[in-house]
Amino acid sequence: LQHRVARGMGGTSRADANSRPNLVPLCGSATTPGSCHLACERRDPAMRERGLWLPSREDPAEVPVVIATPSGLARVWLLADGGWSEEAPERAA
């Protein structure tokens, strides 16, 4: 599992460090050559555009990820219950 907001970049003190919106399954590990996980660890801009890693100032619940679905790629927001939604969450006032 990849922490979208890295634990080493302020994620460990965050209450949402291990929340479902902050975790995404990726291929390989943080040291596997050519893996998506390593690309995120190296802060690859393409992985950032897909929402797979985030700067510590961002809320994983408010930033969508791009996933593959049976009908193609989709931008989705990860939910606390482990599901996802194609609609952005309402922001708290």
Side-chain angles (χ1 to χ4, degrees), residues 8-9 11 19-21 26 28 30 32 35 46 49 56-57 61 63 69 71 75 79-81:
M9 294 177 56
S19 68
R20 295 206 180 178
L26 295 177
T32 306
S35 72
E49 288 176 23
S56 61
R57 68 183 177 275
V63 179
T69 69
S71 59
R75 275 180 24 146
L79 305 175
D81 66 4

Tab-separated table of all heavy atoms in Angstrom, residues 8-9 11 19-21 26 28 30 32 35 46 49 56-57 61 63 69 71 75 79-81:
chain	number	residue	atom	x	y	z
A	8	GLY	N	6.656	9.945	6.046
A	8	GLY	CA	7.898	10.670	6.306
A	8	GLY	C	7.828	12.141	5.969
A	8	GLY	O	8.766	12.868	6.194
A	9	MET	N	6.698	12.598	5.400
A	9	MET	CA	6.546	14.003	5.032
A	9	MET	C	5.431	14.643	5.851
A	9	MET	O	4.675	15.451	5.370
A	9	MET	CB	6.228	14.127	3.542
A	9	MET	CG	7.355	13.687	2.654
A	9	MET	SD	6.925	13.747	0.915
A	9	MET	CE	6.432	15.442	0.712
A	11	GLY	N	3.071	12.804	7.450
A	11	GLY	CA	1.929	11.903	7.532
A	11	GLY	C	1.788	11.204	8.868
A	11	GLY	O	0.695	10.899	9.294
A	19	SER	N	-5.742	6.312	7.002
A	19	SER	CA	-7.146	6.293	6.579
A	19	SER	C	-7.245	5.720	5.169
A	19	SER	O	-6.297	5.762	4.389
A	19	SER	CB	-7.727	7.709	6.607
A	19	SER	OG	-7.122	8.498	5.589
A	20	ARG	N	-8.385	5.203	4.852
A	20	ARG	CA	-8.560	4.605	3.526
A	20	ARG	C	-8.354	5.595	2.389
A	20	ARG	O	-7.756	5.234	1.384
A	20	ARG	CB	-9.910	3.923	3.444
A	20	ARG	CG	-9.933	2.752	4.421
A	20	ARG	CD	-10.865	1.711	4.013
A	20	ARG	NE	-10.832	0.633	5.000
A	20	ARG	CZ	-11.584	-0.414	4.926
A	20	ARG	NH1	-12.418	-0.547	3.919
A	20	ARG	NH2	-11.505	-1.349	5.828
A	21	PRO	N	-8.788	6.852	2.499
A	21	PRO	CA	-8.510	7.779	1.396
A	21	PRO	C	-7.011	8.047	1.192
A	21	PRO	O	-6.611	8.488	0.127
A	21	PRO	CB	-9.244	9.060	1.801
A	21	PRO	CG	-10.342	8.592	2.684
A	21	PRO	CD	-9.743	7.434	3.452
A	26	LEU	N	-0.643	-0.362	-4.986
A	26	LEU	CA	0.165	-0.165	-6.189
A	26	LEU	C	1.015	-1.394	-6.445
A	26	LEU	O	1.287	-2.177	-5.530
A	26	LEU	CB	1.087	1.051	-6.026
A	26	LEU	CG	0.428	2.410	-5.886
A	26	LEU	CD1	1.489	3.480	-5.669
A	26	LEU	CD2	-0.406	2.740	-7.104
A	28	GLY	N	4.367	-3.537	-7.057
A	28	GLY	CA	5.734	-3.486	-6.558
A	28	GLY	C	5.836	-2.895	-5.165
A	28	GLY	O	4.860	-2.720	-4.453
A	30	ALA	N	8.429	-0.041	-2.668
A	30	ALA	CA	9.146	1.227	-2.778
A	30	ALA	C	10.560	1.049	-3.329
A	30	ALA	O	11.245	2.028	-3.598
A	30	ALA	CB	9.198	1.906	-1.419
A	32	THR	N	11.137	-1.702	-5.807
A	32	THR	CA	11.041	-2.554	-6.987
A	32	THR	C	11.255	-1.727	-8.258
A	32	THR	O	10.446	-0.833	-8.542
A	32	THR	CB	9.662	-3.243	-7.060
A	32	THR	OG1	9.405	-3.943	-5.855
A	32	THR	CG2	9.593	-4.200	-8.232
A	35	SER	N	8.397	-0.159	-10.797
A	35	SER	CA	7.068	-0.272	-10.182
A	35	SER	C	6.406	1.089	-9.994
A	35	SER	O	7.067	2.123	-9.904
A	35	SER	CB	7.166	-0.982	-8.826
A	35	SER	OG	7.775	-0.148	-7.860
A	46	ALA	N	3.865	12.225	-13.195
A	46	ALA	CA	2.713	11.498	-13.751
A	46	ALA	C	1.917	10.815	-12.642
A	46	ALA	O	0.687	10.758	-12.696
A	46	ALA	CB	3.174	10.475	-14.783
A	49	GLU	N	-0.118	13.523	-10.950
A	49	GLU	CA	-1.292	13.880	-11.746
A	49	GLU	C	-2.413	12.869	-11.559
A	49	GLU	O	-3.587	13.224	-11.656
A	49	GLU	CB	-0.923	13.969	-13.225
A	49	GLU	CG	-0.090	15.185	-13.553
A	49	GLU	CD	0.359	15.213	-15.005
A	49	GLU	OE1	-0.289	14.565	-15.856
A	49	GLU	OE2	1.362	15.877	-15.275
A	56	SER	N	2.182	17.086	1.645
A	56	SER	CA	1.616	16.951	2.991
A	56	SER	C	0.511	17.961	3.290
A	56	SER	O	-0.307	17.730	4.164
A	56	SER	CB	2.723	17.047	4.042
A	56	SER	OG	3.364	18.300	3.969
A	57	ARG	N	0.449	19.047	2.552
A	57	ARG	CA	-0.585	20.073	2.799
A	57	ARG	C	-1.956	19.683	2.251
A	57	ARG	O	-2.948	20.342	2.516
A	57	ARG	CB	-0.149	21.403	2.204
A	57	ARG	CG	-0.114	21.393	0.686
A	57	ARG	CD	0.400	22.693	0.089
A	57	ARG	NE	0.481	22.600	-1.345
A	57	ARG	CZ	1.497	22.108	-2.025
A	57	ARG	NH1	2.542	21.634	-1.384
A	57	ARG	NH2	1.484	22.074	-3.337
A	61	ALA	N	-8.758	12.944	1.246
A	61	ALA	CA	-10.199	12.771	1.024
A	61	ALA	C	-10.736	13.771	-0.001
A	61	ALA	O	-11.811	13.567	-0.558
A	61	ALA	CB	-10.958	12.901	2.333
A	63	VAL	N	-8.801	14.939	-2.728
A	63	VAL	CA	-8.062	14.872	-3.989
A	63	VAL	C	-8.365	13.532	-4.664
A	63	VAL	O	-8.137	12.479	-4.072
A	63	VAL	CB	-6.543	15.024	-3.751
A	63	VAL	CG1	-5.788	14.926	-5.061
A	63	VAL	CG2	-6.236	16.338	-3.042
A	69	THR	N	-11.225	1.343	-14.672
A	69	THR	CA	-12.515	0.693	-14.465
A	69	THR	C	-12.823	-0.124	-15.728
A	69	THR	O	-12.157	0.055	-16.751
A	69	THR	CB	-13.641	1.721	-14.231
A	69	THR	OG1	-13.875	2.428	-15.448
A	69	THR	CG2	-13.289	2.692	-13.117
A	71	SER	N	-14.955	0.377	-17.858
A	71	SER	CA	-15.294	1.281	-18.962
A	71	SER	C	-14.178	2.271	-19.293
A	71	SER	O	-14.368	3.172	-20.095
A	71	SER	CB	-16.589	2.028	-18.646
A	71	SER	OG	-16.449	2.762	-17.450
A	75	ARG	N	-11.736	9.385	-12.759
A	75	ARG	CA	-11.302	10.142	-11.577
A	75	ARG	C	-12.291	9.845	-10.473
A	75	ARG	O	-13.487	10.078	-10.637
A	75	ARG	CB	-11.321	11.641	-11.854
A	75	ARG	CG	-10.104	12.162	-12.489
A	75	ARG	CD	-10.187	13.661	-12.733
A	75	ARG	NE	-11.129	14.328	-11.841
A	75	ARG	CZ	-10.981	15.555	-11.373
A	75	ARG	NH1	-9.945	16.273	-11.703
A	75	ARG	NH2	-11.882	16.087	-10.594
A	79	LEU	N	-13.217	6.912	-0.362
A	79	LEU	CA	-14.088	7.133	0.795
A	79	LEU	C	-13.558	6.421	2.031
A	79	LEU	O	-12.856	5.414	1.937
A	79	LEU	CB	-15.500	6.653	0.475
A	79	LEU	CG	-16.140	7.251	-0.789
A	79	LEU	CD1	-17.478	6.592	-1.056
A	79	LEU	CD2	-16.258	8.758	-0.665
A	80	ALA	N	-13.949	6.912	3.183
A	80	ALA	CA	-13.503	6.346	4.459
A	80	ALA	C	-13.946	4.898	4.648
A	80	ALA	O	-13.288	4.142	5.358
A	80	ALA	CB	-14.013	7.205	5.619
A	81	ASP	N	-15.026	4.487	3.986
A	81	ASP	CA	-15.515	3.115	4.137
A	81	ASP	C	-14.831	2.129	3.185
A	81	ASP	O	-15.167	0.957	3.136
A	81	ASP	CB	-17.032	3.048	3.958
A	81	ASP	CG	-17.489	3.382	2.541
A	81	ASP	OD1	-16.642	3.601	1.639
A	81	ASP	OD2	-18.724	3.428	2.330
